[in-house]
């Protein structure tokens, strides 16, 4: 075996084969794919083979669409039979209608069909209890093993060396970068390793000192005897009954997601350990656990009560804690992951290979992959126990309807603010983000009356407290706990130069300056969106969103490594509490607590004493009102919060949560990364051209177009109770032109607000499809509230 290669792929399943093939499409030839047994012998060989394209995540939908395009060109048993999704409840039908709207933004021909039409397409089903359905004719099914072999064959044709029966024993890392792979057939020096190990991915990650948070879950389905003479049956899903079906010759494959799932621990202490000899094998049949799925299957397809069963397939599938893939480069340079496919890897394999090859060869993918980026998992996912709690909850609720504001409950509480006890004692309703307990709103602020409750989905988990906290912040003052915000220190002699290269705005300004800026990729897309405070000549504080800390930390370190910068980059999130005091009476509240003058200008910072607490005060806002973000060392946090609260009560101060912040920021036109902003949008498109300083050199500058055709536009809808939440199609002159990036209700403007990237000027009439209804709207100037 060759003792060197530029790229080594570990894992000969459908993911590894797809990555290998797509690398050749980008010109890579020096590639070796290693498989411990035979191709497909992990999870691929026992996959059910369904290929559904539409997902809640726009990027994953596009990846699945690409998969279908690719599978049409392969000799791999692709059958474009179409797919039906049934609604057995009115709530599910509302979800389906929302998904039909999403599909329009991707040119997917998903359409609502009647129950009778569903029966005509799938005559084996019993329509009793079905209230509606949707049909996507371009969905289908494929033979997973044939798919893997077809991709591997194309990879070989492109120059990839495929080595089966080759077990990886270790991954060599030197100075934070991968340098080789040790195998039982010899060592291979390399520049890049791609961990496509499926259920073995966590074990492979440990070889490089990397935590890959996946759990092998026991997933079962049955293959029936032949019992019908239909041909070309579409795939069928009834999520209310937790079941799915596809045709298998003259029988059916039937499976589902039970409420009493079984992580496969295999008797090991680690929840992600897999026996060394588990190759091409299945787990023992577990009929008692399958009973719920079996009983439900007979409700929708009565013949399942009498048909013989050829076999029950019980195979482990790698699941992540949030049911999204694990993709991308890890904290070890050159060590990539493409794993955790959560039982829908066959549908995504084509797209996975494409984006991973781009990431490896070009340094970044062509799509916004934050929802799948391995860096999204914080350090708390190093705990196998925490990982399994989240994975189990997600598996058992796989088919549940996710209403806006839905919160997970497993593994909580974990990370808490110093003021957490105060919040709980005062009626806080908590949400969770990146392991942090955060206040959504305070039940104590609720008031009688439902006149502002949004219609449909947006009103499901709504509270009148949101409006009360919003209005108090606009008219008096609001106090918000933002301790979960990620905080990164960049220090040292190289700190200023690094940040000037990374940021589009000028951040190396006077000590005390606060700068709002973006960090761009080489295509000019927005990789990060944060503030930078200069605390000293060689000391900067970067503050970013709760969920983006690991991402932004990784991005800064990557750019430091690529430029040879010696700047020290450290996550200091837990060291500081942060409380935001905003509103017309904010100065009255703070002025009585500090001997220091409050005359420092907007976007600047100053050290103050607030009560007895030393504080760094940033004169910034995310709600458009006068005020400060107040940072203190965590041990002072509770004392600072109580001091502010007591001082503010005479001025009408109200403690508020993140739901109110979101409503306030919508009215002011403040953008959110991951929704309004991302790697596929530029500052000029997003209306952030004022941040771009073209008189300096920075990453991505040369790719920027200062006059883009489309821009992020604010829309208001004619019906204030029709709330767009994201991904809804936006129609101009009868044609779908865009999708909603974010939306909600503005309690001051008394408008339903949405944002979308459009080639349209203020005053242009639009329509937004909200839960199956086209609601008229207008492009308006932002901000809505001065």
């Amino acid at each position: 075996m060759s003792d060197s290669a530029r790229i080594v792929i570990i894992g000969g399943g459908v993911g590894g084969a797809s990555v290998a093939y797509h690398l050749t499409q980008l010109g890579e030839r020096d590639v070796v794919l290693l498989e411990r047994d035979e191709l497909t012998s992990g999870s691929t060989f026992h996959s059910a083979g369904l290929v559904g394209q539409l997902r809640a995540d726009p990027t994953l939908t596009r990846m699945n669409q690409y998969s279908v395009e690719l599978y049409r060109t392969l000799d791999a048993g692709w059958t474009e039979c179409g797919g039906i999704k049934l609604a057995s409840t009115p709530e599910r039908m509302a979800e389906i209608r929302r998904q039909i709207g999403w599909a329009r933004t991707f040119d997917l021909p998903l359409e609502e069909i009647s129950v009778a039409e569903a029966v005509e397409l799938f005559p084996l089903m019993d329509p009793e209890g079905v209230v509606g359905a949707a049909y996507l004719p371009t969905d289908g099914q494929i033979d997973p093993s044939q798919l893997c072999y077809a991709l591997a064959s194309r990879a070989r044709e492109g120059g990839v060396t495929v080595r089966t029966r080759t077990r990886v024993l270790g991954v060599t890392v030197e100075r934070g970068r991968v340098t080789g792979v040790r195998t039982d057939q010899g060592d291979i020096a390399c520049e890049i390793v791609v961990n496509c190990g499926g259920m073995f991915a966590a074990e492979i990650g440990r070889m490089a000192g990397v935590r890959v948070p996946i759990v092998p879950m026991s997933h079962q389905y049955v293959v029936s005897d032949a019992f019908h003479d239909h041909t070309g049956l579409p795939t069928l899903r009834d999520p209310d009954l937790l079941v799915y079906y596809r045709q298998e010759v003259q029988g059916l494959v039937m499976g589902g997601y039970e409420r009493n799932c079984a992580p496969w621990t295999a008797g090991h202490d680690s929840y992600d350990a897999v026996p060394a000899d588990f190759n091409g094998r299945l787990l023992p049949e577990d009929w008692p656990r399958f009973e719920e799925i079996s009983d439900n299957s007979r409700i929708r397809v009565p013949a399942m009560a009498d048909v013989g069963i050829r076999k029950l397939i019980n195979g482990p599938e790698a699941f992540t804690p949030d049911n999204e893939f694990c993709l991308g480069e890890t904290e070890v340079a050159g060590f990539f992951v493409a794993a955790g496919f959560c039982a829908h890897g066959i549908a995504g394999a084509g797209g996975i290979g494409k984006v991973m090859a781009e990431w490896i060869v070009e340094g970044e993918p062509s799509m916004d992959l934050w929802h799948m980026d391995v860096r999204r998992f914080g350090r708390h996912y190093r705990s196998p126990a925490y990982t399994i709690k989240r994975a189990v909850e997600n598996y058992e609720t796989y088919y549940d309807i996710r209403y806006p504001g839905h919160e997970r409950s497993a593994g909580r509480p974990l990370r808490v603010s110093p003021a957490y006890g105060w919040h709980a004692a005062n009626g806080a309703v908590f949400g969770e983000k990146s392991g942090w307990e955060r206040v959504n709103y305070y039940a104590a602020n609720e008031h009688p009356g439902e006149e502002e409750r949004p219609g449909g989905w947006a009103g499901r988990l709504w509270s009148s407290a949101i409006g009360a906290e919003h209005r108090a912040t606009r008219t008096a003052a609001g106090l918000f706990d933002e301790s979960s915000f990620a905080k990164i220190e960049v220090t040292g002699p190289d700190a200023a130069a690094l940040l000037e290269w990374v940021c589009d705005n000028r951040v190396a300004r006077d000590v005390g300056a606060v700068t709002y800026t973006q960090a761009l990729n080489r295509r000019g897309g927005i990789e990060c969106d944060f503030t930078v405070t200069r605390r000293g000549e060689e000391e900067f504080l970067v503050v970013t969103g709760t969920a983006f800390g690991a991402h932004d930390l990784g991005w800064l370190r990557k750019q430091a490594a690529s430029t040879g910068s010696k700047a020290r980059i450290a996550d200091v999130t837990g060291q500081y509490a942060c409380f935001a005091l905003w509103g017309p009476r904010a100065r009255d509240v703070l002025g009585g607590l500090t001997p220091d003058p409050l005359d420092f200008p907007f976007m600047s910072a100053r050290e103050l004493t607030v009560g007895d607490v030393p504080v760094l005060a940033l004169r910034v806002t995310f709600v458009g009102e006068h005020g400060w973000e107040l940072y203190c060392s965590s041990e002072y946090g509770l004392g600072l919060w109580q001091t502010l609260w007591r001082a503010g009560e005479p001025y009408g101060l109200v403690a508020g949560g993140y739901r109110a912040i979101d409503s306030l920021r919508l009215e002011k036109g403040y953008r959110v990364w991951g929704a309004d902003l991302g790697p596929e949008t530029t500052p000029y498109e997003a209306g952030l051209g004022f941040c771009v300083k073209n008189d300096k050199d920075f990453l991505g500058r040369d790719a920027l177009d200062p006059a883009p055709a489309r821009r992020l536009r604010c829309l208001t809808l004619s019906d204030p109770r029709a709330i767009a939440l994201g991904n809804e199609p936006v129609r101009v002159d009868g044609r779908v032109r865009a999708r909603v990036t974010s939306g909600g209700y503005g309690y001051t403007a008394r408008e339903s607000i949405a944002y979308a990237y459009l080639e349209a000027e203020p005053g242009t009439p639009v329509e937004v499809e909200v839960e199956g209804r086209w609601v008229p709207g207008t492009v308006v100037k932002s901000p809505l509230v001065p």
Side-chain angles (χ1 to χ4, degrees), residues 4-214:
S4 68
R6 186 172 121 74
I7 302 171
V8 173
I9 300 170
I10 305 173
V14 69
S18 184
V19 171
Y21 162 64
H22 284 90
L23 283 170
T24 68
Q25 295 299 103
L26 295 182
E28 293 290 338
R29 298 291 180 265
D30 192 10
V31 180
V32 174
L33 187 152
L34 304 177
E35 166 53 43
R36 59 192 271 158
D37 192 62
E38 299 293 342
L39 297 181
T40 82
S41 64
S43 295
T44 298
F45 82 94
H46 60 70
S47 298
L50 280 71
V51 179
Q53 296 167 85
L54 184 64
R55 304 284 171 169
D57 176 32
T59 299
L60 183 54
T61 298
R62 290 158 59 195
M63 289 167 63
N64 290 355
Q65 286 180 275
Y66 171 79
S67 292
V68 168
E69 294 172 6
L70 174 64
Y71 298 168
R72 288 169 178 158
T73 71
L74 300 175
D75 182 14
W78 168 248
T79 302
E80 199 158 315
C81 55
I84 298 173
K85 183 175 183 178
L86 300 178
S88 297
T89 62
E91 292 79 10
R92 184 71 66 179
M93 197 63 225
E95 178 192 53
I96 284 176
R97 288 184 175 130
R98 281 175 54 80
Q99 292 171 338
I100 290 171
W102 300 344
R104 296 186 209 280
T105 68
F106 304 109
D107 292 324
L108 276 173
L110 182 68
E111 57 180 315
E112 184 175 340
I113 60 174
S114 67
V115 177
E117 289 173 312
V119 173
E120 185 177 352
L121 289 165
F122 199 97
L124 300 173
M125 67 172 275
D126 181 347
E128 185 174 355
V130 178
V131 299
Y135 176 60
L136 184 54
T138 55
D139 276 354
Q141 61 190 63
I142 196 166
D143 183 294
S145 293
Q146 288 188 49
L147 173 62
C148 183
Y149 280 107
L151 291 167
S153 176
R154 287 199 175 184
R156 285 191 181 97
E157 291 170 3
V160 172
T161 299
V162 178
R163 298 289 185 186
T164 58
R165 301 285 180 177
T166 304
R167 185 177 296 272
V168 173
L169 304 176
V171 176
T172 306
V173 177
E174 297 177 5
R175 297 182 180 180
R177 168 168 285 281
V178 69
T179 59
V181 173
R182 293 188 296 107
T183 83
D184 60 357
Q185 303 296 318
D187 296 348
I188 308 174
C190 62
E191 301 173 22
I192 292 167
V193 172
V194 191
N195 178 0
C196 297
M199 59 182 162
F200 306 96
E203 177 184 349
I204 296 166
R206 282 193 290 271
M207 295 177 182
V210 170
R211 169 68 174 157
V212 181
I214 65 163

Side-chain angles (χ1 to χ4, degrees), residues 442 473 477-481 579-582 641 644-645 653-657:
Y442 293 87
T473 305
L479 183 61
F480 301 89
D481 189 340
F579 306 132
L581 174 64
W582 290 316
W641 179 273
L644 292 166
W645 176 252
L653 177 72
V654 169

Side-chain angles (χ1 to χ4, degrees), residues 495-761:
L498 172 66
L499 288 171
E500 281 297 307
W501 165 248
V502 169
C503 299
D504 61 352
N505 208 339
R506 190 171 300 284
V507 297
R509 298 158 57 209
D510 293 340
V511 173
V514 180
T515 306
Y516 171 53
T517 184
Q518 295 76 48
L520 311 183
N521 56 38
R522 62 181 179 79
R523 294 175 286 115
I526 300 172
E527 283 288 345
C528 312
D529 181 70
F530 45 55
T531 61
V532 179
T533 301
R534 189 166 200 175
R535 301 196 65 183
E537 287 300 318
E538 298 181 359
E539 182 180 0
F540 296 81
L541 176 66
V542 175
V543 179
T544 187
T546 302
F548 311 137
H551 173 278
D552 294 2
L553 182 73
W555 183 260
L556 290 170
R557 286 176 171 168
K558 180 178 180 180
Q559 303 318 312
S562 68
T563 60
S565 173
K566 303 301 183 183
R568 178 179 178 270
I569 304 169
D571 180 359
V572 296
T573 300
Q575 296 180 27
Y576 298 100
C578 173
F579 306 132
L581 174 64
W582 290 316
R585 306 302 300 274
R587 182 178 291 270
D588 297 326
V589 176
L590 192 61
L593 293 173
T594 179
D596 301 300
L598 298 177
D599 56 354
F600 54 104
F602 185 59
M603 300 304 286
S604 65
R606 183 174 292 176
E607 301 279 353
L608 306 175
T609 299
V610 178
D612 298 329
V613 178
V615 165
L616 174 67
L618 271 61
R619 178 75 171 80
V620 296
T621 180
F622 195 55
V623 301
E625 296 295 334
H626 176 81
W628 298 265
E629 287 181 355
L630 305 171
Y631 295 80
C632 70
S633 186
S634 290
E635 69 267 23
Y636 295 110
L638 177 59
L640 178 60
W641 179 273
Q642 292 176 327
T643 297
L644 292 166
W645 176 252
R646 287 192 295 266
E649 285 188 288
Y651 299 101
L653 177 72
V654 169
Y658 280 86
R659 299 280 181 83
I661 290 176
D662 192 54
S663 173
L664 290 158
R665 72 95 190 166
L666 281 167
E667 292 182 334
K668 286 292 185 174
Y670 295 143
R671 282 75 164 121
V672 173
W673 195 86
D676 307 308
L677 313 175
E680 297 182 66
T681 57
T682 72
Y684 289 110
E685 291 175 324
L688 301 175
F690 64 89
C691 292
V692 178
K693 299 298 184 284
N694 281 311
D695 59 346
K696 67 163 191 153
D697 195 18
F698 59 87
L699 179 62
R701 185 189 68 172
D702 295 341
L704 292 177
D705 177 1
R710 66 169 194 165
R711 294 182 185 271
L712 187 65
R713 296 300 190 188
C714 181
L715 319 176
T716 57
L717 306 189
S718 62
D719 180 356
R721 297 182 71 250
I723 306 298
L725 299 163
N727 291 334
E728 293 87 351
V730 180
R731 198 161 65 179
V732 181
D733 295 329
R735 293 182 59 190
V736 173
R737 301 288 188 177
R739 64 176 182 85
V740 171
T741 59
S742 66
Y745 183 72
Y747 290 89
T748 302
R750 293 186 173 275
E751 298 270 15
S752 174
I753 305 166
Y755 288 85
Y757 283 91
L758 287 167
E759 298 180 28
E761 297 299 319

Side-chain angles (χ1 to χ4, degrees), residues 21 128 227 254 294 301 339 360 389 415 452 524 530 582:
Y21 162 64
E128 185 174 355
F227 70 97
M254 182 278 293
S294 181
V301 178
I360 293 163
K389 290 171 190 172
R415 307 172 77 183
E452 289 181 321
F530 45 55
W582 290 316

